[in-house]
């Protein structure tokens, strides 16, 4: 796979299709694992995830938080609750906090900057990651100035046609890409990513994802299987397969050897050993949930989302044990991208 960076879209499409058709991809996964170890050793960086709101103004067809979904019990964490989550995380040894939520108008620029500033003051050495969707440049700049270091914004698909199938009119791939390049220009460590197995996805659209990532050069890439949610237009669509998701993680690791890549909660949600297999395919980040346990069920972006046990802060000791048993070393430091 040493020529991966030079492959054309057609060549990548053929490669992906061929790998998906095989029963196993052990050689590819082993190569990706070796590349990850070359740059990061066996460290698995642990981040504290705080899901601050399940309200959202958008209507993405695949997401259970979509505005049109009237079936879920929504919640919005208070400033005090969020700061308490950070205090709990700091006590457990976390040095990165990930503030994730739907596009909730309540968390406007002023509210978020006050919150980011408060976390920065209380935990000056930590990294603050924000993941709240598409914003204008001035908002992103304000987050950065307030003390945020990283921003996660999955592009979901780099094909305009496929993007239009996954989103209603008014949301465009042009806007999503513009946000990602803007974040990079401001100085954020930028995270992109996509689902594997989403409705309408093909080897061709996945090749476009790899080409886009090659151009963007993000610091972080989140890749997980598509999982349907019962209250969305795609509720009857099949979930993405673990085999194909691991292949895309491995190909992305080979293309972006210094990127930070999570073994996502979605992987753990579709297979008991999904997280471990994600790490073996080249991932090197895990994000246990610091959100209040009684609120986690309201963050129903897909069905049967793992949010307790080793996916949660209260299961941290067991999670670390599982990581060690898989042959890796849990690392609670900030874990910044190498480049």
């Amino acid at each position: 796979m040493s020529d991966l960076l030079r492959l054309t879209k057609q060549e990548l499409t053929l490669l992906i299709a061929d790998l998906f058709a095989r029963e196993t991809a052990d050689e590819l996964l082993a190569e990706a694992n070796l590349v990850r170890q070359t740059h990061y050793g066996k460290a698995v960086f642990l981040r504290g995830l705080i899901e601050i709101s399940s309200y959202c103004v958008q209507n993405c067809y695949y997401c259970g938080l979509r505005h049109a979904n009237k079936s879920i019990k929504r919640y919005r964490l208070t400033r005090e609750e969020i700061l308490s989550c950070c205090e709990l995380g700091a006590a457990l040894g976390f040095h990165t906090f990930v503030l994730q939520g739907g596009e909730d108008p309540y968390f406007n620029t002023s509210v978020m900057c006050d919150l980011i500033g408060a976390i920065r003051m209380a935990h000056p050495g930590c990294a603050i990651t924000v993941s709240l969707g598409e914003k204008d440049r001035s908002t992103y700049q304000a987050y950065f100035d307030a003390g945020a270091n990283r921003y996660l914004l999955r592009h979901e698909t780099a094909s305009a046609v496929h993007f239009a199938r996954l989103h209603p009119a008014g949301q465009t791939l042009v806007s999503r890409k513009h946000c990602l390049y803007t974040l990079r220009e401001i100085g954020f460590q930028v995270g992109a990513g996509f689902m594997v197995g989403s409705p309408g996805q093909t080897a061709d659209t996945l090749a476009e994802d790899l080409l886009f990532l090659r151009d963007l050069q993000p610091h972080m890439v989140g890749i997980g299987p598509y999982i349907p949610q019962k209250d969305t237009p795609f509720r009857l669509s099949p979930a993405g397969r673990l085999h194909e998701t691991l292949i895309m993680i491995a190909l992305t690791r080979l293309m972006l050897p210094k990127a930070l890549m999570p073994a996502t909660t979605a992987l753990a949600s579709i297979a008991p050993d999904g997280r471990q297999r994600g790490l073996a395919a080249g991932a090197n980040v895990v994000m246990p949930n610091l959100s209040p346990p009684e609120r986690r069920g309201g963050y129903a972006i897909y069905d049967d989302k793992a949010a307790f046990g080793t996916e949660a802060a209260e299961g941290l000791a067991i999670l670390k044990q599982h990581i060690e048993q898989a042959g890796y070393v849990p690392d609670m430091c900030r874990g910044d991208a190498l480049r």
Side-chain angles (χ1 to χ4, degrees), residues 274 294 329:
E294 67 274 13
V329 179

Side-chain angles (χ1 to χ4, degrees), residues 123-158:
H123 310 284
C126 76
I128 301 173
T129 303
V130 179
S131 182
L132 296 176
E134 295 187 25
K135 309 292 180 184
D136 59 31
R137 187 185 188 99
S138 63
T139 298
Y140 288 146
Q141 185 68 59
Y143 292 171
F144 188 79
D145 293 342
N149 311 97
R150 305 168 182 159
Y151 201 97
L152 306 180
L153 179 63
R154 286 193 180 189
H155 65 280
E156 299 301 2
T157 175

Side-chain angles (χ1 to χ4, degrees), residues 11 19 37-39 60 89 119 129 143 146 165 211 213 224 231 265 279 286 316:
E11 290 169 333
L19 289 168
Q37 290 190 44
T38 298
H39 295 283
C60 305
I119 296 172
T129 303
Y143 292 171
R165 179 166 182 180
L211 290 174
L213 292 173
D231 299 310
T265 300
L279 295 174
V286 174
L316 183 60

